[in-house]
Amino acid sequence: MNAAPYTPAPVQPSRRVAFDVISAVSRDDAYANLLLPTLIRRQALNTADAGLATELTYGTLRMRGYYDRVIALAANRPVSDIDPDILDVLRLGAHQLLATRVAQHAAVNESVTLARSVGSRSAVGFTNGVLRTLSRSTPEEWKERVLATAKTTDDRLATEHAHPAWIVRAFRQALAAEGRTDELEDLLAADNAAPRVNLIALPGLASLPDDAERDTYSPFGFVLASGDPDTAIRHEAGRLRVQDEGSQIAALALTRARPIAEGERWLDLCAGPGGKTALLGAEAALSGAHLTANEVVPARAELVRRAVAPVPGDIPVTELDGTTIGEMQPESYDRILVDAPCTGLGALRRRPEARWRKTAKDVGDLTKLQQSLLLSAFAALKPGGVLAYVTCSPHLAETRSVVLDSLRRLGDGAELLDTAAVVQSVAREPIDLGDQQTERAGTTVQLWPHRHGTDAMFIALITKV
């Protein structure tokens, strides 16, 4: 009698989802925050399995650089010599063994099963051997071994906290501008902590739910004490939405910089995906102002249209090149938000793969675009109007340098406002902003995840004299 053919055990669904996201990020430059919810819905994961898939995905992506160092030691070969799919299996297994309460046998066995589904027979044995080697030592012992390979202080920090060394240096320089370099390790650690799901009740359109815990700073922000945020969002048809507290403060800094006159014209120059646009639109509806949104990428422009759908009034969404709007529409707007494309280094808590995707070389190209957008927006600003330059990055080249260089080019016609004072006036509680003074009169604001619990949002308010 012939034996039945061998059928390998299926991979547990939450681990399969996590692997598929991690692999897509590695292979196709996918965005985890967009793909993960889609796969969770497609696989109909229950709440517990969805939570596990989320922890495995984001935990592995955050600490990928550190896990690669551990894997290289355990495998006795550089990770560049390991098949990419098997390397992602090992990263996922390393996270379970070194940073979760998953039982060792479950972490190893599930990883071996996963390797069997994506790799060769020899790769299965290799995966089993590497992970069993990992399981024989404690996380503390592996950390000691990995850090012993670091050659410099920056290399040690980059290794331990899983940030590329160029980002470590950029963060140190940004903190040094405030005289706060002693906070560097706290900042790196904050990037590796899962953030709370922060929401906003759009002003004039929604009230805070009964079980809301109010944000420390934003007058409209909150987190839910319990329950699923998606349920509350669907019930309110977009009038409640997910938005980081720092993003809320950035938009409110523009609307609250000075009293609003009825009939003002506002422009959100780089509006996609539309979170700040919706808040600006709600503020405009309350004050009799008129908002236009612009987003050059058609797919993102469509996201903006969806984002502003719950806001009263007609908010037109154009798809123009933001660097030419100043020439096309000179002195046309009373307030302009320039939420400039940037490296995204301020949101590594939420988009951890960005740290491995961006390089120091990207900064130079972005700063040229950022300055072009700022100068174009300034040309489109009416005399006496206010412009908010915002980036979700603390990198000095993308923040103070862009602002100060633009001010030098604009000469006496532009003036940096006391942005710190405006932000303090918006906030529900005093904010520790450190030293925000620049070489010009006026101030800028840099928010931080470790100090404020927000993304690292930069804000500068400029007026046309």
Side-chain angles (χ1 to χ4, degrees), residues 354-391:
R355 72 188 75 184
W356 314 117
R357 186 171 288 162
K358 299 293 184 181
T359 68
K361 189 180 297 184
D362 295 325
V363 177
D365 291 337
L366 282 167
T367 55
K368 293 175 185 175
L369 174 60
Q370 289 157 358
Q371 185 163 85
S372 294
L373 289 167
L374 194 161
L375 294 174
S376 176
F378 190 82
L381 192 66
K382 292 180 180 180
V386 180
L387 180 156
Y389 173 78
V390 173
T391 67

Side-chain angles (χ1 to χ4, degrees), residues 12-37:
Q12 196 264 348
S14 57
R15 289 181 172 85
R16 182 77 226 193
V17 166
F19 171 79
D20 286 345
V21 176
I22 292 164
S23 179
V25 168
S26 300
R27 182 184 61 248
D28 303 323
D29 282 343
Y31 292 91
N33 65 317
L34 300 179
L35 181 58
L36 179 60

Side-chain angles (χ1 to χ4, degrees), residues 331-353:
E331 299 191 347
S332 299
Y333 296 97
D334 299 280
R335 299 180 199 237
I336 301 178
L337 175 65
V338 183
D339 186 11
C342 66
T343 55
L345 300 185
L348 296 184
R349 306 178 301 162
R350 304 179 193 281
R351 293 188 287 276
E353 69 272 18

Side-chain angles (χ1 to χ4, degrees), residues 127-213:
T127 301
N128 183 60
V130 171
L131 293 180
R132 292 200 179 280
T133 298
L134 283 184
S135 69
R136 294 188 191 106
S137 300
T138 66
E140 292 73 23
E141 289 169 335
W142 279 114
K143 182 177 179 179
E144 185 177 340
R145 291 171 194 167
V146 168
L147 293 184
T149 67
K151 297 178 174 61
T152 65
T153 298
D154 282 353
D155 190 27
R156 183 191 69 79
L157 290 171
T159 301
E160 181 176 0
H161 296 285
H163 285 65
W166 74 271
I167 295 180
V168 173
R169 290 190 290 271
F171 283 178
R172 179 187 288 110
Q173 291 166 359
L175 287 167
E178 299 180 22
R180 298 284 189 93
T181 53
D182 58 318
E183 296 180 3
L184 178 58
E185 289 205 60
D186 290 338
L187 169 58
L188 296 172
D191 269 353
N192 291 329
R196 300 192 302 175
V197 179
N198 198 261
L199 298 99
I200 183 172
L202 290 178
L205 301 179
S207 301
L208 271 64
D210 293 338
D211 61 344
E213 296 179 358

Side-chain angles (χ1 to χ4, degrees), residues 214-238:
R214 297 194 67 175
D215 282 348
T216 304
Y217 306 118
S218 171
F220 308 114
F222 66 98
V223 296
L224 290 177
S226 61
D228 181 6
D230 287 340
T231 302
I233 291 168
R234 285 195 299 271
H235 183 265
E236 289 292 336

